Amino acid sequence: PIPPSVQAASWDAFANLVSPAPTAVPAGLGSAGAATLSGTLNVHATNGFAIFPDLSVDQAATGYTLAATASGLTGDTSGTFDITP
């Protein structure tokens, strides 16, 4: 799994944490190539944060990003990260 656990925050237009999120927050690879993201891909936010405890990527490479979106919320993409063997 990707350490530490990946977290996505749900904010409203006034910079307040939204809890719970109106729907499940799905995570996906923003830049994947042929890689696959595995683990718990859909979670509900608790106290404004969706925590993905066990995400993993099946191929070593550089420049991956994660994307999180939810119905009614603006999506966002992480900074880049690398998976090494």
Side-chain angles (χ1 to χ4, degrees):
I2 299 171
S5 295
V6 174
Q7 297 185 29
S10 301
W11 303 94
D12 67 14
F14 304 102
N16 298 306
L17 285 171
V18 177
S19 182
T23 62
V25 178
L29 284 173
S31 55
T36 300
L37 181 66
S38 299
T40 306
L41 302 179
N42 293 288
V43 299
H44 283 275
T46 302
N47 297 323
F49 292 91
I51 300 172
F52 301 88
D54 58 353
L55 296 181
S56 63
V57 179
D58 68 343
Q59 295 182 22
T62 60
Y64 284 114
T65 61
L66 292 171
T69 60
S71 178
L73 300 174
T74 302
D76 203 3
T77 302
S78 73
T80 61
F81 63 97
D82 304 329
I83 300 293
T84 57

